[in-house]
Amino acid sequence: MPATSSPDTLSFLEKLAGARSTVVRSHVGMDTASNTEARLKRAKERLYVMCQAGGWTFFLTLQMVFITLFRDKTLAKTAFPLELELSLIRVFAEGLLITHYARIYLARWGWKDLGWKPLVPRVILAAMAMSAVWTTVGYGIDFGVLRLEYGGKFPLWVLCLSSLVNGTLVMVGWLCIYFFYHLFERLNRLQMEQLRLAASVKEAELRALKWQLNPHFLFNSLNSLRALIDEDAPRAREAVTRLANMLRYSLQSGQQETVPFEEELKLAEDYLALEQIRHENRLRVRWEIAPEVRLLQIPPMLLQTLVENAVKYGISTRREGGEIVISARFEGATLNLRVTNPGDLSAPASASAARAGSSTGVGLRNASERLKLLFGPEARLTLLAQPAGFVTADVVIPLNPAAK
Amino acid sequence: MKALIIDDERLARNELRRLLAAHADIEIVGEATDVEDALAKVPVLKPGLIFLDVQMPGADGFSLLEQLEAPLPLVIFTTAYDEFAVKAFEFNALDYLLKPIDPNRLVAALEKVRPRDSGAPFEPGVATHRLALEDKVFVREGDRCWFVPVKNLRLLESEGNYTRLHFDDQKPQLFRSLTAMEERLDPKHFFRANRKQVINLGWVEGIEPWFSGGLLVKLKGGLKVELSRRQAQDFRERMSL
């Protein structure tokens, strides 16, 4: 029963032709990325609060223990029992506040992004400044605000100096912990960015691998082919071979980074010959290929994308059809590949053109991306409006050693 | 039944011709290569059925239906692969064939079409006579399209050069002026309520007195239309008949 088997064949071909939908996924990916970023920020804030509170409490507890163990019993009793402990707590609270506000300035001055060498003198200076503030505020409150009586055995300036030195050491410690954390974080971020870059390169490659025969082209070709069997059997046989070549290429495409220009040329020839069967005298093709470019390596599907685009906008949507010119030649140290079709860049696409060609813009953008990935920033793909109603897709590929 | 094949590809037209050769009752009266060509040929050849390719250079198959004067011939779409078009078909009982056309599918599509052919003289695409209640109007909005029987139109509203059609739960715009539409509608069934609106008398559910001798006409489905005193006079006369 050949008739019942045909839907199966069709669905197989439809699968082969496939549909493309990567845009949506990448969009979703972006959304979750911004979510993770917000979550990361919150986690970092929490870590900061915990470190500040934990660190200072630990330091304070240590001091308290030392004071109770090695208190100078000969010293006169203080005015009320826990005075020393209370003032210690106050001093540590001041330290916490100073470091907390210093953090805002450290971020504002961009010290987090500095390297080792510029950071060391800055850390020392900052620690000294913070310590000076700390000492001033501490003794300022003691003798300025509370008006305590000083009864120590050393002069006051010695006490201040020792406090300044002590404070500097503590602040250097704090800053070291702070910047060590940020250095590690920066290292991590750098690694993440490298991973992300690698992932985006891979994604672009994957998209390139996913080139498939345009289903509209495929089924229309099969339809004309069926009519051609009765009309012109030898030509129908030739068309079957060409279609087979294209299907094979489409199944194998994307396994290499670059392919010989000759192979791409062969594919474009098959494609245009099949389109000519459909469009007959509405599609005329002129080839201007310099023989020396045939062995050059180019990204797979580059020429095909341009030629499909030219047929879509230059022939399919125009009643009178027209001529497509494909030219390739060396210009100095670059390969210049041009595909010209009748058309107008600024003309609003008709409803059917929009329907037929919604994926073409994406195709050209992908091709341009791939060119830059493979051949560097000098490689480019541009669409140019020519006088007299023609549009040219212009590709420039530098012939550096990296491109072989 | 007289059929017209509309496709820009000669081989595709030949293929369909060959497939239709097996159906003796389908007489192919001609071929058209695009919308413009078809617009010229339909009123002359008067096909009862058209095979219409969706993608053609210039304008697509849907726009032919938009521009063609009702009554429309029966339509079987042909398309190679067009997700949008296929989605549009699913809103209607319209049939479509995927290219390359499966001969069995063609048989099924023709079966669907045949009973609707009454054999009465049929002049598609010619704006000479009034539309019968069973005739269909084609309207498209965005990716959706409808073949609406005239009897389902509850209300037609003027919007400049366009007319908004109210039917079922839809109200798409038709690219025709209300005056042009009114000329094609049977005054036995349709009434010009005011400068902007034409109502289908078959859908009138209730009538209420309104300001200064006017009337408020309620249509089934919840639409309300105001009539001025003068139109109310006409309306009363019409309804009392």
Side-chain angles (χ1 to χ4, degrees):
Chain A
M1 293 202 347
T4 47
S5 76
S6 69
D8 282 343
T9 326
L10 268 181
S11 78
F12 162 69
L13 285 173
E14 251 161 337
K15 250 178 234 155
L16 209 70
R20 326 146 199 210
S21 63
T22 47
V23 190
V24 179
R25 197 175 313 147
S26 71
H27 208 78
V28 171
M30 262 166 54
D31 206 43
T32 50
S34 76
N35 260 346
T36 358
E37 213 149 281
R39 227 177 25 242
L40 210 71
K41 205 171 168 186
R42 277 202 299 278
K44 269 161 68 175
E45 278 305 308
R46 251 200 322 273
L47 183 70
Y48 166 75
V49 170
M50 269 159 55
C51 281
Q52 276 282 45
W56 285 107
T57 314
F58 173 72
F59 199 33
L60 179 65
T61 321
L62 213 67
Q63 290 283 331
M64 290 283 198
V65 169
F66 272 106
I67 281 174
T68 14
L69 287 182
F70 307 107
R71 177 170 276 180
D72 192 350
K73 300 284 194 325
T74 61
L75 230 69
K77 279 260 182 233
T78 43
F80 52 95
L82 287 171
E83 196 195 298
L84 197 60
E85 284 80 355
L86 281 176
S87 77
L88 209 56
I89 290 173
R90 205 196 69 217
V91 166
F92 275 90
E94 284 159 14
L96 194 143
L97 276 177
I98 288 168
T99 50
H100 181 73
Y101 285 107
R103 173 173 169 260
I104 296 168
Y105 286 98
L106 296 179
R108 193 176 296 167
W109 294 335
W111 286 15
K112 284 200 265 188
D113 301 320
L114 289 177
W116 280 107
K117 277 182 191 154
L119 207 53
V120 171
R122 279 178 174 79
V123 161
I124 292 168
L125 279 176
M128 278 159 71
M130 284 158 78
S131 171
V133 172
W134 198 3
T135 307
T136 317
V137 169
Y139 288 123
I141 291 176
D142 271 353
F143 305 113
V145 182
L146 298 177
R147 302 213 170 270
L148 295 180
E149 242 172 76
Y150 178 63
K153 44 185 165 180
F154 302 108
L156 188 58
W157 66 269
V158 177
L159 199 72
C160 283
L161 197 67
S162 82
S163 155
L164 209 59
V165 173
N166 268 331
T168 304
L169 288 177
V170 172
M171 287 304 174
V172 164
W174 189 91
L175 287 168
C176 276
I177 293 172
Y178 182 78
F179 283 113
F180 268 128
Y181 170 78
H182 278 289
L183 269 174
F184 273 111
E185 205 208 38
R186 207 181 336 152
L187 215 68
N188 253 335
R189 211 170 37 221
L190 226 65
Q191 259 175 340
M192 286 257 285
E193 252 155 44
Q194 260 165 355
L195 279 175
R196 211 171 291 163
L197 197 72
S200 75
V201 169
K202 273 272 171 295
E203 201 189 304
E205 279 172 15
L206 263 175
R207 258 182 280 150
L209 307 189
K210 275 183 131 182
W211 177 80
Q212 281 149 335
L213 274 180
N214 175 349
H216 206 264
F217 160 77
L218 176 60
F219 294 115
N220 269 319
S221 291
L222 286 169
N223 193 45
S224 339
L225 197 48
R226 211 166 125 161
L228 205 61
I229 291 170
D230 280 349
E231 199 180 292
D232 187 346
R235 203 164 170 219
R237 275 197 289 274
E238 182 205 305
V240 168
T241 314
R242 288 195 188 274
L243 200 54
N245 284 343
M246 285 197 76
L247 282 172
R248 188 172 301 118
Y249 200 95
S250 128
L251 290 172
Q252 291 169 346
S253 86
Q255 287 168 11
Q256 302 117 321
E257 254 186 8
T258 59
V259 291
F261 190 86
E262 211 166 19
E263 260 181 52
E264 281 283 301
L265 209 56
K266 183 98 199 16
L267 177 71
E269 276 168 8
D270 285 335
Y271 169 72
L272 286 170
L274 287 165
E275 287 283 27
Q276 268 178 321
I277 288 174
R278 285 180 56 202
H279 297 296
E280 303 193 309
N281 51 17
R282 283 181 51 230
L283 170 59
R284 296 177 297 283
V285 183
R286 202 166 83 220
W287 300 91
E288 291 173 357
I289 310 294
E292 64 270 19
V293 302
R294 285 182 176 266
L295 292 176
L296 220 69
Q297 294 284 323
I298 63 165
M301 303 326 297
L302 174 66
L303 181 59
Q304 182 64 20
T305 307
L306 300 184
V307 170
E308 273 184 32
N309 194 53
V311 170
K312 205 169 264 171
Y313 289 104
I315 310 297
S316 295
T317 55
R318 298 163 67 87
R319 295 176 64 196
E320 64 280 15
E323 185 179 56
I324 289 178
V325 183
I326 299 127
S327 79
R329 60 167 186 267
F330 288 128
E331 269 175 21
T334 58
L335 165 68
N336 204 314
L337 174 63
R338 284 162 174 239
V339 178
T340 303
N341 61 272
D344 186 354
L345 272 185
S346 58
S350 75
S352 65
R355 224 183 273 275
S358 48
S359 64
T360 318
V362 180
L364 285 185
R365 211 167 42 242
N366 277 355
S368 171
E369 254 173 54
R370 249 184 313 149
L371 269 178
K372 290 208 186 310
L373 271 174
L374 283 170
F375 299 98
E378 270 148 69
R380 61 168 197 271
L381 192 174
T382 34
L383 275 184
L384 309 166
Q386 304 281 21
F390 283 90
V391 174
T392 297
D394 186 32
V395 174
V396 174
I397 299 179
L399 298 171
N400 51 17
K404 277 170 270 179
Chain B
M1 193 193 299
K2 290 201 277 186
L4 177 72
I5 298 174
I6 306 162
D7 197 311
D8 59 312
E9 293 173 31
R10 185 186 60 85
L11 283 170
R13 295 194 300 270
N14 278 4
E15 173 64 10
L16 193 53
R17 237 175 215 284
R18 214 182 50 78
L19 286 166
L20 285 170
H23 302 269
D25 60 330
I26 305 290
E27 178 204 350
I28 298 161
V29 290
E31 293 178 2
T33 57
D34 53 45
V35 169
E36 214 172 290
D37 195 11
L39 274 174
K41 281 177 177 163
V42 169
V44 180
L45 299 171
K46 301 183 177 64
L49 170 66
I50 57 175
F51 290 92
L52 182 55
D53 186 20
V54 175
Q55 289 205 324
M56 286 182 289
D60 68 2
F62 294 111
S63 75
L64 169 69
L65 299 181
E66 278 182 308
Q67 291 173 61
L68 212 53
E69 289 293 341
L72 296 173
L74 296 165
V75 182
I76 295 177
F77 278 106
T78 59
T79 183
Y81 183 92
D82 191 331
E83 287 162 86
F84 289 110
V86 171
K87 245 181 243 156
F89 299 139
E90 281 163 5
F91 290 107
N92 302 278
L94 261 187
D95 213 348
Y96 63 95
L97 295 169
L98 287 171
K99 296 190 228 177
I101 294 162
D102 179 348
N104 294 339
R105 276 285 293 117
L106 179 62
V107 170
L110 289 174
E111 280 308 317
K112 258 200 222 171
V113 159
R114 277 193 191 101
R116 288 200 264 167
D117 182 22
S118 58
F122 184 62
E123 300 215 327
V126 189
T128 49
H129 66 290
R130 302 227 182 251
L131 293 170
L133 286 179
E134 298 302 324
D135 281 336
K136 283 174 181 163
V137 178
F138 177 85
V139 54
R140 163 159 74 159
E141 195 166 73
D143 281 334
R144 308 179 64 183
C145 54
W146 299 266
F147 272 100
V148 198
V150 168
K151 64 167 191 266
N152 286 12
L153 299 173
R154 284 193 292 252
L155 173 67
L156 298 91
E157 272 180 311
S158 171
E159 289 184 6
N161 288 329
Y162 294 84
T163 302
R164 192 167 289 285
L165 304 180
H166 294 257
F167 58 91
D168 305 333
D169 55 346
Q170 307 291 337
K171 43 179 180 179
Q173 259 186 349
L174 180 74
F175 183 55
R176 280 209 175 50
S177 71
L178 183 60
T179 314
M181 274 307 288
E182 195 192 4
E183 279 169 14
R184 305 295 318 282
L185 296 169
D186 190 342
K188 278 209 292 283
H189 304 292
F190 288 87
F191 179 76
R192 184 79 175 221
N194 52 52
R195 214 165 47 79
K196 291 255 174 202
Q197 293 170 311
V198 170
I199 55 170
N200 185 339
L201 296 175
W203 286 84
V204 173
E205 191 179 41
I207 302 158
E208 282 174 21
W210 204 239
F211 301 114
S212 54
L215 284 176
L216 183 73
V217 174
K218 283 187 184 169
L219 299 176
K220 278 176 236 170
L223 290 164
K224 286 172 188 165
V225 177
E226 282 177 43
L227 272 65
S228 71
R229 185 211 296 258
R230 202 169 53 81
Q231 283 147 332
Q233 194 83 39
D234 283 356
F235 185 73
R236 282 200 192 88
E237 279 167 24
R238 286 282 306 282
M239 292 308 272
S240 63
L241 280 175

